[in-house]
Amino acid sequence: MVKPLKNSFVDDTMTRANGQLLIDKSSGLTSHDVVARVRKLLGEQRVGHAGTLDPMASGLLILGVGASTRLLRFAQAQGKRYSGEVTFGVATDSLDADGTVVATRAIPALDESLVNDTAQTMLGAQLQTPPMVSARRVDGQRLYNLARQGLDVQREARPVTIERFTLRAGDDPARWRFEVTCSVGTYVRVLLSDLAERLGTVGHLSALRRDASGSHEVRDAWTLEALGVALDEGDSLLRPPVAFVEELPQLRVDAETIARLRHGQRVELDVAGGGEVAILDDEGELVAIVVARGGLYKPEVVMPADSTKR
């Protein structure tokens, strides 16, 4: 457990909580369950999450609290790192352990060299078709709802990138541990099912844990149980809003520029290139996210003035 962060944005009344909260979700909870519990613990309704984890999965869930919910898209867009287990020889309708078995197939003789050599052929940019049992929408309907009706509809393949994919054998020849680093939007269960097919069998995801999202690590996250204890003891928990935009170019500006941004005005900045820039005050607190427009920088997100003061 990471040492509690002092001087966070959780004040005594809990009415102006603002920042980033890293949660280590346990298996069996939905991401919505986690958000609901955190809302109750913090006494703050403005809580949202980035990057949904299925109920069977555990690991890192990034939450935005208060005004920082407006920054969740930056966490959503970050690459992810997972570890877990694949079970060969058994296929399910959902491609994971929560599904119903739909097929079994003999497992050929497998060794780590063969399995990892095959996994290496699956690296790089590619198109991946979302599974039927997923939260993707087709014509306004969730795919999992259509799947419950026994329907199998056409799904648009989406671009994903697999950066790293390794496996190691366990005591059970059917169960292998894996680690994968991938882009946002990747379905790890689809990746493992495809691997099983390439190895001449079938398979499903039997355990999954999100170890990291961008630069954020699950080892720095709070379990819900530890969160409750820390709050009872008066510890500070939230990371500052700037933690959401660590990967953006950052620029500290003067009070006059900050005032103009808070009034929605475009400003001239000495920044190389274009794109989005995180604007900080002289104390390093996030003031705004701006984007280049016609030679000037336009504020896209402006944090409330009192949200940057502890």
Side-chain angles (χ1 to χ4, degrees):
M1 174 57 59
V2 67
K3 183 179 179 180
L5 300 173
K6 300 303 179 183
N7 297 322
S8 80
F9 289 88
V10 182
D11 61 19
D12 292 338
T13 63
M14 304 302 292
T15 59
R16 290 193 338 219
N18 177 47
Q20 181 189 81
L21 181 62
L22 304 183
I23 292 293
D24 183 353
K25 184 185 92 66
S26 59
S27 180
L29 295 177
T30 68
S31 298
H32 180 73
D33 290 337
V34 172
V35 168
R37 294 193 186 185
V38 170
R39 284 173 176 163
K40 185 175 181 180
L41 286 169
L42 295 184
E44 170 62 68
Q45 285 301 306
R46 293 177 300 167
V47 179
H49 69 84
T52 300
L53 281 174
D54 291 336
M56 70 162 282
S58 67
L60 182 62
L61 193 64
I62 299 180
L63 304 188
V65 179
S68 288
T69 54
R70 302 166 66 188
L71 304 171
L72 283 168
R73 66 179 175 89
F74 295 101
Q76 178 72 30
Q78 295 175 329
K80 309 293 190 286
R81 190 175 80 244
Y82 297 94
S83 61
E85 180 187 78
V86 56
T87 298
F88 292 126
V90 179
T92 70
D93 56 358
S94 62
L95 308 183
D96 64 22
D98 284 342
T100 301
V101 175
V102 294
T104 59
R105 192 182 302 176
I107 305 172
L110 300 176
D111 59 49
E112 290 195 1
S113 293
L114 171 63
V115 172
N116 280 290
D117 285 348
T118 305
Q120 296 309 293
T121 68
M122 305 176 74
L123 300 181
Q126 57 200 269
L127 293 177
Q128 186 184 72
T129 301
M132 274 302 301
V133 181
S134 68
R136 295 282 188 187
R137 292 182 183 271
V138 172
D139 296 330
Q141 298 189 65
R142 300 284 190 187
L143 284 173
Y144 58 70
N145 287 329
L146 297 175
R148 289 169 184 161
Q149 301 172 38
L151 300 177
D152 189 347
V153 300
Q154 184 173 359
R155 286 97 69 196
E156 179 183 358
R158 296 172 178 267
V160 300
T161 301
I162 310 301
E163 297 179 9
R164 181 173 179 266
F165 186 21
T166 61
L167 299 98
R168 67 180 187 275
D171 295 335
D172 184 341
R175 296 178 181 272
W176 287 63
R177 298 295 302 177
F178 70 85
E179 293 182 358
V180 60
T181 302
C182 55
S183 64
V184 63
T186 301
Y187 284 93
V188 176
R189 50 196 162 115
V190 172
L191 181 70
L192 295 170
S193 177
D194 290 345
L195 171 66
E197 291 287 345
R198 293 193 185 198
L199 293 171
T201 184
V202 294
H204 69 275
L205 173 70
S206 44
L208 182 67
R209 182 166 176 79
R210 183 185 289 156
D211 298 311
S213 177
S215 62
H216 305 300
E217 302 272 350
V218 71
R219 64 189 178 193
D220 296 327
W222 297 87
T223 64
L224 288 174
E225 293 75 13
L227 179 68
V229 171
L231 285 170
D232 288 342
E233 295 177 350
D235 287 331
S236 299
L237 307 173
L238 300 188
R239 296 171 171 229
V242 72
F244 278 103
V245 293
E246 291 174 341
E247 297 181 4
L248 288 184
Q250 298 182 1
L251 182 67
R252 298 195 183 203
V253 299
D254 57 28
E256 180 182 351
T257 302
I258 291 174
R260 292 182 61 190
L261 289 172
R262 291 204 185 284
H263 284 87
Q265 298 177 15
R266 300 187 183 198
V267 298
E268 184 176 356
L269 298 174
D270 184 15
V271 181
E276 293 180 313
V277 179
I279 301 300
L280 313 182
D281 64 16
D282 58 3
E283 297 179 354
E285 306 291 355
L286 181 66
V287 173
I289 306 298
V290 299
V291 63
R293 288 287 186 273
L296 298 176
Y297 281 82
K298 173 185 176 182
E300 276 194 322
V301 177
V302 178
M303 303 301 288
D306 61 357
S307 75
T308 61
K309 302 304 177 185
R310 296 183 170 91

